[in-house]
């Protein structure tokens, strides 16, 4: 299922699953990720799954590229479906103008009203392709074809924590205040990354299903206090 | 025994607790972190008789001014550092790679790094801190690690777990290497760039700019021209990866890098040269040399042997 394995530097494997970015390819990446994690291969110290790649980092004091490559090539992954938690993670989102920083840009570029954009975006089931960049940030997809737009030409220096954004076929949540260029259409008051819960710090993980639903400002404030 | 305590009178520029780094959390967005210059980190711990993964204070350019508030400590500083010690009211010039005993009201003033970036302050017995996600290493951006995931601040107080002065009078003769060429391997998008640009990348000098920190090192030199695409699908990164965004100025990912990135990767710094790379201060120039994987692996073995040899001399 891995199309090609090469080295990324002297202490990591670069596993390429093909050029396409879709759920089928990504599920293969997630399956490998879960399997390798389970195997606890000595020397492997980090795994980074993304849309269509998996990077396997290792400790050069314990193992080297050709040894890790061999071990990965020997892994058998069943073609069965990914065991998915049937539960849908529901994310309350306030889309009032003060939080929907780019709704006007989206509206004029997409030639849709604010209401139409939100109708196409909210209450749909999205798939989590990967988490990362900043701690716990989920990359979800795929959003409705009619509301896809490229990133801001000049990224914001500070996107607020909790901001919900879209770009191309994806949607994400800024788990920390961070620079970023996604089109922001709302804000969630809930904690997506909880550093005090070491066993399960991330609310959303690769392979999960996620849905955004709208809340008003009053509900936002109430949830934000928790 | 928890009566050995220090107080931070001046915090320094970027003082954080670091250890050997954090494994197994790239997939949720937590980078490796850890001491930038691993060899100097290990030496500092060995000089004070600590385990190799004990937390130390890492500082950049200027370190903290520390006063012993209670009890005694035994400490050592590694790197290329200018520092003073105030003992019983007397001022002494400090030497790196040597340990010292201090008592209540004595001070250590870590003035500056000489022509380098990072230094390490280790105390015998180690600081009394809590691990977070399996490591003491502080990652400020995600507020993870010892000291609640934040930089060390003025007026912070820290306890020492277990003071022992039996480690006193240890020292090491060591000179930090100043060679400014960095060996690299081809990146996964090496063929995204014009041949002329690749030639320049591996032969011309690049300036280390001020926009460099624990996350990354931004370089300036001949513009690296892209012939395919200036963006790739976001994918994982590791420390040492050299990304080239659309403006043609390379950025090297360092220990606190974002775990995912979308710029083409022209190269990756070899593990054996990482310590030396991170110690290159802004304003200096570096040169890249392209080598093969087998050679990089050999050079790492050599680096490791050298490190072990140094540690065995302490």
């Amino acid at each position: 299922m891995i199309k090609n394995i090469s080295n990324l530097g002297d202490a990591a494997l670069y596993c390429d699953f093909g050029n396409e970015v879709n759920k089928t390819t990504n599920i293969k990446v997630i399956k490998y990720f879960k399997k390798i994690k389970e195997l606890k291969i000595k020397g492997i110290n980090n795994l980074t799954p993304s849309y269509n790649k998996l990077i396997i980092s290792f400790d050069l004091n314990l193992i080297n590229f050709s040894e890790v490559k061999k071990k990965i090539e020997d892994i058998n992954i069943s073609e069965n479906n990914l065991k998915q938690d049937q539960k849908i993670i529901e994310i309350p989102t306030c889309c009032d103008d003060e939080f929907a920083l780019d709704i006007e840009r989206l509206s004029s570029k997409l030639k849709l009203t604010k209401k139409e954009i939100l109708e196409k975006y909210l209450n749909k089931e999205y798939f989590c392709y990967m988490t990362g960049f900043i701690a716990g940030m989920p990359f979800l997809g795929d959003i409705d074809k009619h509301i896809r737009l490229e990133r801001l030409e000049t990224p914001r220096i500070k996107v607020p924590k909790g901001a919900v954004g879209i770009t191309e076929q994806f949607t994400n949540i800024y788990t920390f205040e961070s620079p970023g260029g996604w089109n922001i259409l709302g804000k969630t008051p809930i904690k997506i990354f909880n550093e005090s819960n070491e066993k399960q710090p991330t609310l959303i993980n690769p392979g999960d299903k996620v849905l955004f639903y709208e809340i008003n400002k009053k509900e936002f404030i109430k949830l934000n206090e928790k | 025994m928890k009566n050995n305590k220090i107080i931070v009178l001046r915090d320094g520029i970027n003082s954080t607790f670091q250890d050997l780094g954090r494994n197994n959390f790239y997939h949720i967005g937590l980078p490796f972190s850890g001491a930038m210059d691993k060899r100097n980190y290990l030496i500092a711990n060995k000089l004070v008789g600590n385990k190799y993964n004990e937390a130390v204070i890492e500082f950049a350019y200027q370190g903290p001014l520390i006063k012993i508030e209670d009890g005694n400590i035994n400490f050592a500083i590694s790197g290329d550092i200018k520092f003073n010690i105030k003992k019983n009211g007397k001022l002494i010039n400090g030497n790196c790679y040597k340990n010292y005993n201090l008592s209540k009201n004595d001070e250590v003033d870590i003035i500056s790094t000489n022509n380098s970036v990072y230094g390490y302050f280790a105390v015998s017995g180690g600081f009394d801190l809590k691990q977070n996600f399996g490591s003491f290493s502080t990652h400020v951006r995600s507020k993870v690690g010892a000291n609640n995931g934040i930089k060390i601040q003025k007026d912070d107080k820290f306890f020492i777990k277990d003071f022992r002065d039996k480690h006193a009078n240890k020292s090491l003769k060591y000179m930090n290497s100043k060679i400014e060429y960095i060996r690299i391997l081809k990146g996964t998008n090496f063929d995204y760039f014009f041949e002329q640009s690749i030639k320049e990348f591996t032969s011309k000098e690049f300036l280390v700019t001020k926009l460099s920190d624990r996350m990354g090192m931004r370089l300036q030199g001949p513009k690296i021209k892209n012939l395919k695409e200036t963006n790739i699908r976001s994918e994982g990164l590791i420390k040492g990866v050299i990304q080239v965004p659309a403006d043609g100025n390379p950025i090297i990912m360092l220990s606190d890098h974002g775990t995912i990135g979308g710029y083409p990767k022209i190269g990756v710094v070899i593990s054996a040269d990482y310590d030396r790379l991170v110690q290159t201060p802004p304003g200096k120039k570096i040169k890249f040399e392209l080598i093969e994987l087998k050679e990089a692996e050999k050079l790492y073995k050599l680096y490791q042997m050298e490190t072990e040899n140094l540690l065995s001399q302490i």
Side-chain angles (χ1 to χ4, degrees):
Chain A
M1 271 197 286
I2 302 176
K3 294 233 163 89
N4 186 45
I5 296 179
S6 56
N7 67 300
L8 181 64
D10 52 21
L13 241 70
Y14 183 84
C15 306
D16 189 354
F17 289 77
N19 288 325
E20 317 81 64
V21 171
N22 53 45
K23 229 170 124 174
T24 324
T25 308
N26 186 247
I27 284 174
K28 288 178 192 168
V29 177
I30 296 171
K31 275 187 181 174
Y32 265 90
F33 161 67
K34 290 193 168 171
K35 180 79 185 175
I36 299 165
K37 216 173 156 209
E38 216 177 86
L39 289 172
K40 292 200 166 87
I41 299 166
K42 199 185 167 201
I44 291 182
N45 60 19
N46 259 308
L47 299 165
T48 322
S50 58
Y51 300 125
N52 53 353
K53 307 280 190 295
L54 175 64
I55 290 173
I56 304 171
S57 313
F58 53 86
D59 182 346
L60 205 42
N61 288 319
L62 303 172
I63 200 162
N64 67 25
F65 172 73
S66 56
E67 288 162 349
V68 181
K69 185 169 181 247
K70 177 85 182 46
K71 285 190 193 286
I72 300 306
E73 282 167 346
D74 286 347
I75 292 174
N76 278 315
I77 298 281
S78 71
E79 295 284 340
N80 295 340
N81 283 332
L82 185 73
K83 260 190 227 145
Q84 258 179 291
D85 200 342
Q86 286 313 299
K87 194 183 81 205
I88 299 175
I89 302 162
E90 299 191 353
I91 307 293
T93 312
C94 183
C95 301
D96 285 12
D97 287 348
E98 68 174 292
F99 299 134
L101 308 174
D102 297 307
I103 197 79
E104 273 174 29
R105 170 184 138 91
L106 285 162
S107 181
S108 71
K109 290 235 175 190
L110 300 167
K111 306 214 165 24
L112 292 170
T113 65
K114 179 179 172 179
K115 194 164 166 262
E116 286 168 331
I117 294 169
L118 294 180
E119 262 172 21
K120 291 186 193 307
Y121 177 75
L122 295 165
N123 305 310
K124 303 271 161 66
E125 194 181 300
Y126 299 124
F127 174 79
C128 179
Y129 285 95
M130 59 181 177
T131 49
F133 176 58
I134 50 177
M137 180 191 263
F139 289 74
L140 313 160
D142 294 349
I143 62 170
D144 188 287
K145 282 196 172 63
H146 300 96
I147 56 167
R148 294 182 185 177
L149 192 67
E150 70 280 11
R151 284 175 178 76
L152 305 181
E153 276 154 37
T154 310
R156 287 194 171 81
I157 293 166
K158 280 181 183 173
V159 180
K161 180 177 178 175
V164 172
I166 58 174
T167 196
E168 294 159 3
Q169 78 216 58
F170 308 109
T171 173
N172 76 359
I173 307 166
Y174 285 85
T175 48
F176 288 91
E177 182 183 277
S178 151
W182 292 45
N183 301 284
I184 305 303
L185 46 66
K187 188 175 179 179
T188 179
I190 64 166
K191 217 171 181 170
I192 309 294
F193 182 80
N194 184 357
E195 63 277 0
S196 55
N197 183 355
E198 291 194 23
K199 286 234 162 72
Q200 190 53 266
T202 48
L203 180 66
I204 304 164
N205 293 291
D208 284 349
K209 291 182 210 163
V210 178
L211 176 151
F212 294 87
Y213 69 95
E214 195 174 5
I215 52 168
N216 61 34
K217 183 80 186 283
K218 239 180 168 172
E219 292 165 313
F220 178 91
I221 292 166
K222 213 172 148 198
L223 285 168
N224 210 16
E225 284 165 359
K226 280 184 187 168
Chain B
M1 279 223 309
K2 279 199 184 170
N3 57 353
N4 305 298
K5 191 162 79 175
I6 62 162
I7 177 165
V8 178
L9 301 180
R10 181 195 65 232
D11 47 7
I13 290 178
N14 193 4
S15 308
T16 55
F17 286 105
Q18 297 295 338
D19 59 12
L20 280 174
R22 180 172 284 112
N23 285 334
N24 294 319
F25 291 105
Y26 264 25
H27 64 283
I28 61 165
L30 290 182
F32 194 74
S33 298
M36 297 287 277
D37 177 343
K38 191 175 153 194
R39 182 180 279 173
N40 270 310
Y41 160 82
L42 293 172
I43 291 173
N45 263 335
K46 183 76 192 277
L47 281 164
V48 293
N50 284 348
K51 290 178 297 188
Y52 287 136
N53 58 352
E54 201 63 70
V56 308
I57 294 176
E58 178 186 275
F59 48 88
Y61 310 111
Q62 184 204 43
L65 169 59
I66 290 166
K67 185 179 171 182
I68 317 309
E69 202 172 57
D70 211 350
N72 303 288
I73 71 161
N74 177 263
F75 79 95
I77 290 175
S78 67
D80 190 356
I81 318 295
K82 194 172 149 190
F83 69 98
N84 286 333
I85 297 165
K86 213 161 98 186
K87 201 174 168 161
N88 302 322
K90 251 178 67 187
L91 204 67
I92 331 166
N93 286 329
N95 290 317
C96 290
Y97 304 109
K98 175 178 168 14
N99 61 2
Y100 296 91
N101 275 330
L102 293 182
S103 309
K104 192 174 171 175
N105 292 328
D106 291 347
E107 289 177 15
V108 195
D109 185 1
I110 305 172
I111 300 160
S112 67
T113 56
N114 301 320
N115 239 329
S116 57
V117 183
Y118 297 101
Y120 297 89
F121 176 84
V123 294
S124 180
F127 296 98
D128 190 21
L129 302 166
K130 269 197 210 121
Q131 282 195 345
N132 192 204
F133 292 96
S135 162
F136 293 112
S137 288
T138 307
H139 182 231
V140 174
R141 207 167 166 207
S142 23
K143 295 191 177 69
V144 155
N147 197 28
N148 301 315
I150 59 170
K151 285 183 190 179
I152 292 167
Q153 314 272 318
K154 183 177 179 290
D155 298 328
D156 276 353
K157 293 177 183 186
F158 300 106
F159 285 101
I160 313 304
K161 276 190 284 192
D162 168 29
F163 165 73
R164 290 157 293 169
D165 72 350
K166 62 182 176 193
H167 301 293
N169 300 320
K170 286 201 173 182
S171 65
L172 173 73
K173 276 201 177 116
Y174 178 56
M175 280 283 284
N176 287 279
S177 162
K178 294 273 190 240
I179 307 164
E180 269 122 27
Y181 69 90
I182 298 295
R183 290 159 293 194
I184 59 165
L185 298 177
K186 274 185 192 175
T188 40
N189 308 107
F190 194 74
D191 61 356
Y192 273 45
F193 302 94
F194 280 101
E195 216 185 305
Q196 180 60 25
S197 278
I198 287 171
K199 244 185 216 160
E200 287 179 342
F201 183 64
T202 51
S203 63
K204 295 264 166 29
E205 285 184 326
F206 285 83
L207 179 78
V208 177
T209 71
K210 280 182 187 153
L211 291 169
S212 300
D213 56 16
R214 284 186 49 95
M215 275 185 77
M217 184 184 265
R218 287 172 187 262
L219 304 176
Q220 237 167 42
K223 296 268 183 281
I224 310 301
K225 292 192 185 108
N226 192 303
L227 65 89
K228 265 192 183 167
E229 260 174 275
T230 52
N231 281 286
I232 57 168
R233 285 292 185 185
S234 292
E235 59 181 39
L237 292 169
I238 56 165
K239 62 181 193 179
V241 163
I242 309 167
Q243 294 193 105
V244 183
D247 68 5
N249 295 318
I251 308 171
I252 313 180
M253 299 295 108
L254 302 182
S255 305
D256 282 353
H257 65 83
T259 56
I260 284 173
Y263 298 124
K265 303 170 170 68
I266 192 170
V268 188
V269 174
I270 67 165
S271 300
D273 285 354
Y274 187 80
D275 291 351
R276 216 152 36 79
L277 171 78
V278 301
Q279 289 287 16
T280 315
K284 282 259 175 192
K285 286 176 173 170
I286 53 175
K287 244 177 162 178
F288 296 110
E289 186 194 340
L290 190 63
I291 64 165
E292 293 295 321
L293 178 61
K294 284 277 166 248
E295 209 181 332
E297 287 172 343
K298 261 188 224 155
L299 287 166
Y300 186 77
K301 280 207 174 107
L302 216 70
Y303 159 87
Q304 193 55 21
M305 270 165 56
E306 243 174 65
T307 306
E308 274 161 23
N309 183 28
L310 285 165
L311 293 171
S312 72
Q313 289 171 37
I314 298 168

